[in-house]
């Protein structure tokens, strides 16, 4: 990574989708739950509605995590705000509304928390428009508290062109062919891999390349324990509290 770009102060444990084990995922309530639990960083997903509004949401549609049935690209902000996105998780969260990216960034800034922001490119959505939302995050959070990630390295390349100062993480399931050249072309800070597909040799190769290694989505501390020994820098978990203190 460029020596002129700050290095994020990543903790060993990052709360997935806000704090998905304790609150409806990707909501302001989930961010608050992470803060209450003492988490320093969260991971959130961002997409755009049909009217262009960037929102914190994982799926291409709203059926799993709301009382509605529509694709994101079919909704405008007003329609999205009519959805209850909390009751599906627990009646205590009834009335929770979909969070805009700006509202989530403001909440994180207020809590002094860091963010791994995944740019989630669903089918039928415009990559260039989604890449543009990175600028909002960069304006709202200090660079040492922001990692921008995506499975789409073309999308990350657009962010790199538009925002040379951005700290990038490339998401993959397992370490793919050509991974190092692609990370180098992005000037990536990290590669973020599925912990269940990680091997000792892959971890060693990533660390030897000078990249940070993040793993998702681990919820079994005992099963994950060998990965710490392999040099994993941070784990993204639905319930970080299950891990207790970091073993290092």
């Amino acid at each position: 990574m460029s020596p002129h770009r700050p290095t994020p102060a990543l903790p060993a444990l990052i709360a997935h989708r806000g704090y998905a084990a304790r609150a409806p995922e990707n909501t302001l309530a989930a961010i608050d739950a992470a803060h209450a639990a003492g988490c320093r960083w969260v991971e959130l997903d961002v997409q755009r509605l049909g009217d262009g509004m960037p929102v914190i949401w994982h799926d291409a549609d709203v059926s799993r995590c709301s009382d509605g049935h529509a694709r994101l690209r079919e909704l405008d902000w007003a329609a999205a705000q009519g959805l209850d996105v909390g009751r599906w998780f627990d009646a205590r969260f009834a009335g929770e509304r979909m969070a805009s990216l700006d509202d989530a960034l403001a909440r994180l800034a207020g809590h002094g928390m860091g963010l791994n922001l995944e740019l989630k490119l669903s089918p039928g959505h415009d990559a260039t428009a989604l890449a543009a939302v990175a600028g909002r995050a960069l304006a709202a959070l200090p660079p040492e508290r922001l990692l921008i990630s995506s499975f789409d390295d073309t999308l990350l390349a657009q962010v790199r062109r538009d925002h040379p100062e951005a700290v990038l993480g490339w998401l993959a399931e397992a370490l793919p062919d050509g991974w190092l050249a692609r990370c180098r072309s992005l000037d990536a800070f990290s590669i973020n891999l599925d912990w269940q597909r990680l091997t000792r040799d892959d971890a060693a190769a990533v660390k030897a390349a000078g990249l940070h290694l993040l793993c998702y989505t681990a919820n079994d501390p005992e099963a994950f324990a060998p990965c710490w020994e392999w040099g994993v820098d941070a784990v993204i978990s639905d319930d970080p509290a299950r891990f207790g203190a970091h073993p290092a």
Side-chain angles (χ1 to χ4, degrees), residues 82 91 150 177 207 218 230 233 246:
S150 181
D177 292 340
K207 299 305 295 180
W230 298 349
D233 294 289
H246 178 238

Side-chain angles (χ1 to χ4, degrees), residues 207-234:
K207 299 305 295 180
L211 290 163
H212 282 67
L213 176 57
L214 280 66
C215 284
Y216 66 88
T217 305
N219 296 315
D220 184 338
E222 184 176 353
F224 187 80
C227 298
W228 293 123
E229 299 173 5
W230 298 349
V232 170
D233 294 289

Side-chain angles (χ1 to χ4, degrees), residues 12 16 38 48 50 53 62 75 87 90 95 104 113 119 128 140 161 199 210 212 219 234:
H16 187 229
R48 285 163 51 100
M53 173 68 81
V62 300
L75 297 171
R87 183 180 290 275
D90 189 280
M113 298 174 73
L119 306 181
T128 300
R161 288 190 293 271
T199 67
H212 282 67
N219 296 315

Side-chain angles (χ1 to χ4, degrees), residues 185-201:
S185 70
L186 293 169
D187 194 11
F189 167 78
S190 70
I191 188 162
N192 307 356
L193 301 174
D194 182 343
W195 79 274
Q196 292 180 301
R197 301 182 67 175
L198 183 68
T199 67
R200 181 189 294 271
D201 287 346

Side-chain angles (χ1 to χ4, degrees), residues 39-248:
C39 299
R40 292 167 46 206
W41 277 58
V42 297
E43 183 268 354
L44 299 171
D45 304 288
V46 64
Q47 300 192 65
R48 285 163 51 100
L49 298 176
D51 63 356
M53 173 68 81
V55 294
I56 303 301
W57 201 258
H58 179 271
D59 297 354
D61 62 68
V62 300
S63 58
R64 182 174 64 88
C65 296
S66 84
D67 59 352
H69 299 279
R71 296 179 181 179
L72 286 190
R73 67 189 187 197
E74 298 168 345
L75 297 171
D76 61 16
W77 178 239
Q81 287 296 282
L83 299 172
D84 185 317
V85 303
R87 183 180 290 275
W88 69 273
F89 184 85
D90 189 280
R92 293 180 296 115
F93 296 100
E96 186 75 20
R97 301 303 169 193
M98 186 181 291
S100 70
L101 173 61
D102 290 343
D103 285 344
L105 291 169
R107 187 65 57 91
L108 289 165
H111 288 325
M113 298 174 73
L115 171 63
N116 173 13
L117 182 66
E118 180 182 344
L119 306 181
K120 181 70 70 174
L121 186 60
S122 292
H125 290 249
D126 181 75
T128 300
L130 181 58
V133 309
R136 295 187 186 223
L138 288 161
L141 295 177
E144 64 271 16
R145 296 213 315 265
L146 178 65
L147 176 66
I148 296 172
S149 61
S150 181
F151 281 98
D152 191 315
D153 53 342
T154 302
L155 181 58
L156 289 176
Q158 181 65 51
V159 175
R160 170 60 68 231
R161 288 190 293 271
D162 294 343
H163 302 286
E165 74 279 19
V167 179
L168 302 182
W170 180 35
L171 279 155
E173 293 181 353
L175 207 59
D177 292 340
W179 65 272
L180 184 54
R182 292 160 79 177
C183 286
R184 292 283 187 254
S185 70
L186 293 169
D187 194 11
F189 167 78
S190 70
I191 188 162
N192 307 356
L193 301 174
D194 182 343
W195 79 274
Q196 292 180 301
R197 301 182 67 175
L198 183 68
T199 67
R200 181 189 294 271
D201 287 346
D202 285 349
V206 170
K207 299 305 295 180
L211 290 163
H212 282 67
L213 176 57
L214 280 66
C215 284
Y216 66 88
T217 305
N219 296 315
D220 184 338
E222 184 176 353
F224 187 80
C227 298
W228 293 123
E229 299 173 5
W230 298 349
V232 170
D233 294 289
V235 62
I236 300 166
S237 175
D238 292 323
D239 192 359
R242 295 187 62 189
F243 285 77
H246 178 238

